[in-house]
Amino acid sequence: NKSIEESVKIFALGTKEFPDYKLKIMGGATADTEEYIKRLKELMKELKISDRVEIIKSPPFSELKKILQKSKIIIDSQKEINLTMTSIEAMAAGNIVLGYKNSGGYLDILDNGRFGYGFLTAEEGGKKLKGIIEKIDKGKININASIKRAQEFGKDRFVKTLKIILGENGLQ
């Protein structure tokens, strides 16, 4: 579901002219993780980006937070997933999100592209990534709207909205 191969391809295509960019792949380890990582490393070698990619298995939240704070862009290639914290956490840390268009993250969190960028194929994602990097380098991307959007998914906002809904339905 996570389609990390897609993220790797997008990174390779989108950063051809930007060799200083690095890709960090983070996530929880599962029983089949080692075999999957082996396949990912083969793909990275094929795409000639192995020296620019780091895989971090099951990072503690403190490390995840530090990495997101230093990052500029997150590629979320999870397909046909409802909502995950990936985009919200990245946006809260000031990252630009490039997400798969047929996912809840793109439709709901990124509001169909209002608060981030979307793609359907690796080729389209690579072009979008290149454009995002160019805009960042020229100072033409404002991350404040994304940070504010991420706050809409916080606990306080959730509780407030839930109370309104319950009150409107006479359940409070």
Side-chain angles (χ1 to χ4, degrees), residues 6 14-15 18 21 28-30 37 40 47 52 65 70 83 90 95 103 131-132 136 140 146 150 159:
E6 196 93 359
T15 61
F18 307 97
Y21 274 76
T30 61
I37 289 174
L40 287 173
L47 296 170
R52 299 193 296 132
K65 186 177 173 183
K70 291 179 182 177
L83 293 176
N95 286 258
S103 70
I132 293 167
I136 288 172
K140 292 189 175 190
S146 292
V159 170

Side-chain angles (χ1 to χ4, degrees), residues 1-171:
N1 259 359
K2 292 190 177 189
S3 305
I4 297 172
E5 300 94 333
E6 196 93 359
S7 293
V8 170
K9 290 175 187 173
I10 289 167
F11 175 78
L13 291 167
T15 61
K16 280 182 183 175
E17 298 173 27
F18 307 97
D20 292 340
Y21 274 76
K22 308 267 186 255
L23 175 64
K24 293 192 183 227
I25 299 171
M26 301 180 291
T30 61
D32 61 346
T33 297
E34 293 308 317
E35 185 60 35
Y36 190 60
I37 289 174
K38 183 180 175 187
R39 288 195 323 262
L40 287 173
K41 286 183 176 183
E42 288 169 6
L43 176 61
M44 291 173 216
K45 187 176 178 183
E46 179 185 316
L47 296 170
K48 297 176 176 62
I49 60 168
S50 298
D51 60 328
R52 299 193 296 132
V53 181
E54 180 182 0
I55 297 173
I56 305 166
K57 295 185 288 186
S58 303
F61 183 74
S62 59
E63 184 178 0
L64 174 71
K65 186 177 173 183
K66 284 179 189 174
I67 291 168
L68 284 175
Q69 288 172 336
K70 291 179 182 177
S71 298
K72 296 179 183 180
I73 305 163
I74 182 170
I75 304 169
D76 186 0
S77 55
Q78 296 182 86
K79 295 183 176 183
E80 296 157 12
I81 298 289
N82 288 331
L83 293 176
T84 66
M85 291 301 294
T86 305
S87 294
I88 297 169
E89 290 167 343
M91 290 167 69
N95 286 258
I96 302 302
V97 178
L98 173 60
Y100 184 67
K101 285 183 180 177
N102 287 339
S103 70
Y106 181 79
L107 300 172
D108 297 324
I109 298 166
L110 299 182
D111 195 13
N112 287 304
R114 249 179 90 208
F115 299 99
Y117 298 81
F119 65 91
L120 288 172
T121 66
E123 293 73 22
E124 180 184 12
K127 288 177 187 172
K128 294 273 178 93
L129 179 58
K130 180 182 180 213
I132 293 167
I133 293 170
E134 290 171 345
K135 286 179 181 177
I136 288 172
D137 288 352
K138 293 176 184 172
K140 292 189 175 190
I141 287 189
N142 181 350
I143 59 169
N144 293 329
S146 292
I147 293 171
K148 190 173 179 181
R149 174 69 170 167
Q151 292 169 347
E152 291 180 25
F153 294 92
K155 179 184 171 189
D156 293 339
R157 177 72 183 253
F158 175 78
V159 170
K160 182 179 174 183
T161 303
L162 185 59
K163 285 181 179 179
I164 291 169
I165 292 169
L166 292 173
E168 288 173 353
N169 291 296
L171 300 172

